[in-house]
Amino acid sequence: MRRVSLLVLLLCGGARAAGTYFPSAPATTWRYSSGETQLIGQPTVVRGVSVTPTAHQIDGRTVSEDLLEYRGGGVYLRGVRIGKQVIWYDPALTVYPSSPLTLGQRWESVSGSLKLSSRVMGNEPLSLGAGNFNTLLIRSDVTAGKTVSTQYSYFVPGLGVVRYQTAGGQVVDLLK
C-alpha cells in the first residue's frame, strides 16, 4: 500500500520529461494549494541510471523525491527516495510517453506488483489563481494487487500539472 501512495504522490504533482513539452530544468518549482512545493534537482546517478530528483516538500522539508529518467521524449519513474531508503522500479514505470500527448492516447506499464494505466481523456479549460489554462485531462489508475487507485491530473504542455484530483477526491491547484 505504501508503494501505491508514493506513486499517487508522483502522479499528483507533475512528473516531468526532458525537453520543452515536460519542464525539467533544475530549480524549477511548483507550489500547490495543498501546501506542497515541488522542486526539480540536479541530475544524478542512482544504481547506474541517470535520474533527475524531484523533491516533494512541505514547509520547506523534503518528504520524498521522485527519481525520474528522461529518455526518448518520455518520463519514467525509476524510484522514490524517502530519507535514505530508495524504492526502485525495474522496469521503470512510464509516467508520460514520448511527446506530444494526444486525445485518447493510452499507455501502461508494470513494475513488480504495481501497474500504471493512463489515458488522455480530453481537453479541459481551467481558470485558477495561477492563470487560465487549456489543459489535457489525464486519468491514471494505479493497481497494487487487488487495490486500484484512480486520480486525475490537468496537464499543460510546457508548464506541467496545474490541478490534480486525488483518489480520495481532494482537488489541489497550482498556486505558482
Side-chain angles (χ1 to χ4, degrees):
M1 194 56 152
R2 184 174 183 173
R3 287 184 181 182
V4 171
S5 298
L6 295 173
L7 187 56
V8 169
L9 184 63
L10 164 75
L11 294 171
C12 292
R16 286 137 308 273
T20 59
Y21 200 78
F22 302 99
S24 62
T28 299
T29 61
W30 292 263
R31 285 187 322 137
Y32 290 96
S33 61
S34 63
E36 177 186 7
T37 297
Q38 293 183 11
L39 171 63
I40 297 178
Q42 292 293 327
T44 188
V45 175
V46 176
R47 297 189 184 189
V49 178
S50 179
V51 296
T52 300
T54 299
H56 297 269
Q57 300 177 336
I58 302 293
D59 296 326
R61 189 178 134 261
T62 298
V63 293
S64 68
E65 286 183 306
D66 300 324
L67 303 175
L68 303 175
E69 179 183 17
Y70 308 131
R71 59 180 153 85
V75 60
Y76 303 87
L77 179 63
R78 292 309 311 236
V80 176
R81 182 181 357 235
I82 301 172
K84 293 182 181 185
Q85 179 187 9
V86 173
I87 299 168
W88 192 252
Y89 299 110
D90 190 15
L93 292 164
T94 304
V95 179
Y96 295 114
S98 298
S99 62
L101 298 176
T102 58
L103 296 181
Q105 183 175 4
R106 296 172 184 259
W107 61 96
E108 191 171 277
S109 57
V110 176
S111 188
S113 63
L114 287 178
K115 178 180 175 182
L116 174 59
S117 303
S118 299
R119 178 170 43 124
V120 179
M121 305 287 292
N123 289 102
E124 188 82 25
L126 285 179
S127 182
L128 306 173
N132 296 319
F133 306 100
N134 185 25
T135 70
L136 293 171
L137 174 59
I138 301 171
R139 175 186 170 138
S140 297
D141 297 311
V142 180
T143 305
K146 295 182 181 183
T147 303
V148 179
S149 179
T150 300
Q151 74 135 47
Y152 296 90
S153 57
Y154 297 77
F155 180 81
V156 176
L159 179 63
V161 174
V162 298
R163 169 180 277 174
Y164 62 89
Q165 180 178 340
T166 67
Q170 178 186 11
V171 174
V172 178
D173 291 335
L174 179 70
L175 298 176
K176 179 182 170 193

